[in-house]
Amino acid sequence: MITVSIVEDDDEIRQSLSMLINATDGFECISTHPDGESAVKKIPNELPDVILMDIGLPGISGIETIKRLKEKITDIDVIVLTIHENDKFVFDALCAGATGYLLKETPPLRIMESIIEVRNGGSPMSTQIARMVVTSFKLNPAPDLTQRETEVLSCLVDGMSYKMIADKLFISEETVRRHIKNIYRKLEVHSKSEAVAKAIREKLV
Amino acid sequence: MITVSIVEDDDEIRQSLSMLINATDGFECISTHPDGESAVKKIPNELPDVILMDIGLPGISGIETIKRLKEKITDIDVIVLTIHENDKFVFDALCAGATGYLLKETPPLRIMESIIEVRNGGSPMSTQIARMVVTSFKLNPAPDLTQRETEVLSCLVDGMSYKMIADKLFISEETVRRHIKNIYRKLEVHSKSEAVAKAIREKLV
DNA sequence: TTAGGAATAACCCATTTGGGTTATTTAATA
DNA sequence: TATTAAATAACCCAAATGGGTTATTCCTAA
């Protein structure tokens, strides 16, 4: 028996999800909550196996609700079920600790399969979401940077000082400074930490 | 008709995959390659819709092969098909530009479904892989750091100077220095760029 | 064959940063 | 109530960094 809680403000959706779960052998919907506050308060006592979580909730957001619940119950599986397929919502939800992310157009059968999948150590996602997630890993070629400059930028991202970079690349510290000046000009930054931040954010290395 | 190329050094696997694809209506395996070199040389002329790619190849690795192919053909879909479920291989493959990642235990039907899925804008992954990918987004609480220190660390990650942080938080530059010293001690680093690198690598902010 | 980019190297100077020390106020908690 | 942690602030000094300028060598492409 897999126990499920639902956090969803729309009465109709909440009830039909609950009915779907209870109508399926081996599943039980043990509670439903219309907002994040009551979910955060009560779910730690109810301890379901899986939570189906909406993102657009009144009061505290679904993201914040996930964060607070995961702090209290680290090993719970949260599947986001939402209409939002916006980058920010998706990545914020995953950073907060969501294990799966389904769009509301997901057919009922697929929702039930996802609950099983998440219990089996998977991370069910709608196809668009999976693509967004995978694409986010893709490295961008650092525009304009020469090969050597790219190497130096990697060293910066590794937290190395001018001296350490010089030693590693067998060149003088002055040459390192030269390369770094060129990197700053090309990336339009003015310090190591800005360069590192930009390189990582834009996945240049 | 979806056209597929296979890059796989094991003769038996390569042939059975090719047969599987050609035996399925709507799919055609237009070429197979036993190593990365020949794949990089020939696939740009063959232009399949999808490539099934092994990682453990003789000569240049599957990762490197993906990287070089994606440089030449940006809009091609590469599905990795491998026994390696090691973190490093998975993330390196995705950074190189792989769109899907299946383990070799994947049943034939699921492989064919994955080819369709990738053509429909998805990113097919084995369940374990999806979980690894999703888990990699999870933020870790910065150990020991106080709330203010965490705020300052965020500013560092944004590439801000002491002065900018002081202005933003409405405190003196000296206090910023104080916080940063404490951050360095706790994270065991000795410079801004090391702190930024560590914060991002360990997802502390 | 020559112009230009890439990589190398050096010097000057001001600013920023990193490490050490000390101290006050406030809030939490034992 | 006494203690502790967190946040605030200041000073000293040395080292690292950032910006400007100039120059040489090598290789590639026009």
Side-chain angles (χ1 to χ4, degrees), chain B residues 161-177:
Chain B
S161 69
Y162 288 15
K163 201 186 298 292
M164 288 161 77
I165 298 173
D167 288 348
K168 175 169 174 177
L169 301 183
F170 303 109
I171 54 181
S172 87
E173 213 176 311
E174 281 302 324
T175 304
V176 173
R177 290 160 57 69

Side-chain angles (χ1 to χ4, degrees), chain A residues 162 177-178 181 184 190-192:
Chain A
Y162 289 14
R177 291 161 55 71
R178 171 82 272 136
K181 281 174 211 183
Y184 287 180
H190 303 280
S191 70
K192 273 168 57 160

